Amino acid sequence: MHEKILILDFGSQYTQLIARRVRELNIYCEIHPWNKCPELTSDLKGVILSGSPFSVREDSAPKPDLSEIKGKMPLLGVCFGAQHLAHNFGGEVKPSTTREYGRANLSYVDQDNVLTKGMSDGSQVWMSHADTIKVIPAGYKIIASTKDVEIAGYHIEGEDTFGIQFHPEVYHSLEGTLLLKNFLVNVCGCSQDWTPDSFVDETVKELRAKIGSDKVILGLSGGVDSSVAAVLLHKAIGENLHCIFVDNGLLRKNEFDSVLESYQGMGLNVKGVNASELFYEALAGVTDPEAKRKAIGKVFVDVFDEESKLVEDAKWLGQGTIYPDVIESVSVSGGPSQTIKSHHNVGGLPDYMKLKVVEPLKLLFKDEVRRIGRSLNIDQNILGRHPFPGPGLGIRILGDVTAEKVRILQEVDYIFIASLKEDGLYDDVWQAGAIFLPIQSVGVMGDERTYENAVALRAVTSTDGMTADWCHLPYDFLAKVSNKIINQVKGINRVTYDISSKPPATIEWE
């Protein structure tokens, strides 16, 4: 069993970033709802309490039972977690008198404390809270302060219990990783042995034990996630993995043929299925984004149901679901985090489809998936591909989806992506694509008036998809791409560029 860190989730949108930072330090961790704490097993090395949209002063605020944790094993409270450990053990938390959101700088750091050792006076941290700790209980020692927040960090003397008001998991906390490493390695004693190679070895063993000699059907999409999932499953069960690559009519230009060929070259047992018309029929007249996702998901499942009947004794459906998919679709492990949007490949299957689900990547973030892929020697051309949504261009066409709109968007997208590659910008971008807008605008071509469609280009930088910033692509590049699109794609006379970050916008428009 691996050493483990438990993260108790109080509903913060940052909880998943805590997990990612812990994983980056090669330490395994799990997120569980504060009110569904798992059994405290011998492999547990420490506990982290997350932030929360709640105030500890509210009657409805989470009130976890920490009787078997506090004072008995290492414990770190972050933001709400720190306030909880102060408010409920004899301290005082009150509403902040000044706004405490965004960047701040530490004015005092206890260099002798194990948690803050090595951190710099003046170090930038990230605040995000409406309440502040005014009084700490007896036995609590202040170990960090900012100009506006005197109690930015504390240590309970005689315990391995700490609280910090800022968010070390956010990149804007420049020495946040150092603080977390101090806690995880120097306080918890973690040995940092959760590596890509160990994940592969353990997952393959688990898959063999779980699946045995059963047959698995896996939906391939051409993306990183399903590709890594396929290679992991193939390594575990060989020819008992039956891969299905469905052309839903919503893929990028030429993608079906090129990706199918690359999978066959990898030695995978893969079958291509053209089901475009079924998806177009299901999407006819559908404009609501959630309704489109659900329609695409239903046809996807129906196609797999038909294909599964052709594979004798198939008992499992493999999926490339990863952690952000789960987080944005349902609360993590049933926790209180807010649902943003559904993903078509997340959750159970209808009762009539007699397949169990196996998701070997569901606890991994995107960058972890790529690390696993490199450990499996998967071609960089696949691992380096930008993420592409499961519903494909169906959620990049705002409004109803038609074959003609798909054709136009495929051409626009092809020019944009090819241009990024030609100019050496593709690897600087985390995800890029084009969006077909539900408007038409007046233009002029030659001496003729046009009234044609508009598209938006979207390119973002990110590390995990949980947060993202728009790419500052060169103006000359954008001008060249716009000119190519308008001149080469009939039906488009206007190109825009999306300069929204996540949050508040999501990466995809739908």
Side-chain angles (χ1 to χ4, degrees):
M1 297 175 67
H2 263 295
E3 299 169 341
K4 179 170 63 179
I5 295 295
L6 170 63
I7 301 170
L8 290 182
D9 180 22
F10 295 97
S12 170
Q13 294 297 333
Y14 289 149
T15 303
Q16 296 77 34
L17 291 181
I18 299 175
R20 189 175 175 278
R21 297 296 171 265
V22 174
R23 302 276 188 86
E24 284 178 344
L25 292 166
N26 293 329
I27 297 167
Y28 180 69
C29 63
E30 292 180 0
I31 298 174
H32 288 270
W34 66 269
N35 56 352
K36 295 181 181 178
C37 184
E39 180 184 355
L40 304 181
T41 52
S42 59
D43 57 332
L44 182 63
K45 303 289 285 185
V47 178
I48 298 176
L49 307 180
S50 82
S52 176
F54 292 97
S55 165
V56 295
R57 298 176 295 103
E58 298 172 347
D59 291 339
S60 58
K63 295 179 176 60
D65 179 5
L66 300 177
S67 59
E68 296 301 315
I69 297 173
K70 183 179 176 296
K72 298 180 180 180
M73 65 179 65
L75 176 63
L76 173 64
V78 175
C79 196
F80 174 92
Q83 293 174 0
H84 173 83
L85 292 172
H87 177 75
N88 289 281
F89 292 89
E92 186 177 14
V93 175
K94 289 188 174 182
S96 302
T97 55
T98 58
R99 288 179 62 85
E100 293 175 348
Y101 296 96
R103 294 174 177 85
N105 295 96
L106 297 179
S107 57
Y108 163 70
V109 178
D110 185 347
Q111 297 285 355
D112 295 325
N113 190 270
V114 64
L115 186 72
T116 49
K117 188 177 182 63
M119 294 184 69
S120 311
D121 287 331
S123 180
Q124 179 179 290
V125 296
W126 185 260
M127 295 286 190
S128 182
H129 58 103
D131 290 340
T132 194
I133 303 169
K134 289 295 185 182
V135 179
I136 49 177
Y140 285 46
K141 177 187 176 184
I142 296 174
I143 59 174
S145 303
T146 71
K147 179 174 67 71
D148 296 319
V149 182
E150 180 187 6
I151 307 168
Y154 60 76
H155 178 196
I156 302 180
E157 295 174 320
E159 297 182 15
D160 286 331
T161 302
F162 306 83
I164 49 173
Q165 185 60 76
F166 54 91
H167 288 269
E169 70 275 20
V170 175
Y171 275 111
H172 302 298
S173 291
L174 300 183
E175 294 180 328
T177 298
L178 172 60
L179 183 147
L180 288 172
K181 184 176 180 181
N182 283 342
F183 176 70
L184 297 166
V185 177
N186 299 333
V187 178
C188 299
C190 294
S191 57
Q192 298 179 277
D193 63 350
W194 198 66
T195 63
D197 286 345
S198 69
F199 175 86
V200 170
D201 291 342
E202 292 163 19
T203 302
V204 167
K205 289 178 183 176
E206 290 171 5
L207 290 171
R208 285 173 179 164
K210 183 176 186 176
I211 298 169
S213 59
D214 293 346
K215 294 178 182 177
V216 178
I217 296 177
L218 173 72
L220 289 171
S221 68
V224 176
D225 306 331
S226 67
S227 300
V228 174
V231 174
L232 265 176
L233 282 162
H234 181 74
K235 189 176 179 69
I237 63 173
E239 288 299 306
N240 278 341
L241 173 65
H242 294 257
C243 298
I244 309 296
F245 183 35
V246 176
D247 183 357
N248 58 10
L250 305 170
L251 301 175
R252 286 176 160 153
K253 182 179 179 181
N254 300 329
E255 188 166 33
F256 182 65
D257 291 335
S258 63
V259 171
L260 186 61
E261 182 178 349
S262 69
Y263 279 139
Q264 290 168 340
M266 292 165 61
L268 295 175
N269 179 14
V270 59
K271 176 183 179 182
V273 179
N274 189 334
S276 302
E277 290 305 317
L278 292 176
F279 285 89
Y280 289 154
E281 289 172 10
L283 289 169
V286 179
T287 59
D288 177 75
E290 279 296 291
K292 286 199 284 188
R293 285 176 176 270
K294 287 178 168 55
I296 292 168
K298 182 181 183 305
V299 176
F300 178 81
V301 171
D302 289 345
V303 169
F304 268 81
D305 184 44
E306 290 301 313
E307 291 299 325
S308 69
K309 294 173 182 175
L310 303 178
V311 180
E312 188 177 352
D313 296 328
K315 295 181 179 178
W316 298 85
L317 178 67
Q319 293 186 332
T321 308
I322 64 172
Y323 220 176
D325 295 339
V326 176
I327 292 162
E328 290 192 347
S329 297
V330 293
S331 301
V332 176
S333 302
S337 297
Q338 184 178 0
T339 296
I340 306 299
K341 58 189 177 183
S342 65
H343 287 255
H344 80 283
N345 62 335
V346 176
L349 296 169
D351 291 339
Y352 68 80
M353 192 172 182
K354 305 303 180 183
L355 292 177
K356 295 174 285 186
V357 175
V358 57
E359 298 169 310
L361 308 178
K362 69 178 180 180
L363 294 180
L364 298 183
F365 292 100
K366 177 70 72 172
D367 58 325
E368 292 182 298
V369 175
R370 288 196 169 100
R371 289 173 64 196
I372 300 304
R374 285 191 286 272
S375 179
L376 291 166
N377 296 316
I378 296 175
D379 192 292
Q380 183 58 31
N381 287 330
I382 291 179
L383 294 181
R385 294 190 70 191
H386 290 175
F388 188 65
L393 301 181
I395 58 168
R396 291 184 178 175
I397 296 173
L398 306 193
D400 66 316
V401 177
T402 66
E404 178 60 12
K405 290 180 181 178
V406 171
R407 183 198 65 78
I408 291 174
L409 189 58
Q410 284 177 331
E411 296 296 333
V412 172
D413 178 85
Y414 184 81
I415 290 171
F416 185 29
I417 299 301
S419 298
L420 286 170
K421 292 178 178 177
E422 289 168 5
D423 282 44
L425 296 169
Y426 185 82
D427 290 336
D428 296 332
V429 176
W430 194 77
Q431 184 169 335
I435 298 90
F436 190 100
L437 303 179
I439 58 172
Q440 291 182 310
S441 67
V442 173
V444 58
M445 292 183 178
D447 293 325
E448 295 185 4
R449 175 186 184 275
T450 63
Y451 191 60
E452 293 182 329
N453 301 292
V455 293
L457 304 182
R458 178 78 157 138
V460 300
T461 57
S462 182
T463 54
D464 49 32
M466 299 304 300
T467 60
D469 196 12
W470 62 278
C471 284
H472 295 239
L473 295 176
Y475 289 156
D476 289 347
F477 170 81
L478 291 172
K480 179 178 69 174
V481 171
S482 174
N483 188 57
K484 279 185 179 180
I485 290 170
I486 291 172
N487 283 328
Q488 297 178 23
V489 184
K490 185 177 181 181
I492 298 296
N493 70 354
R494 191 174 298 273
V495 176
T496 65
Y497 187 57
D498 182 350
I499 57 170
S500 309
S501 296
K502 176 186 179 179
T506 53
I507 295 175
E508 299 294 342
W509 281 40
E510 290 192 341

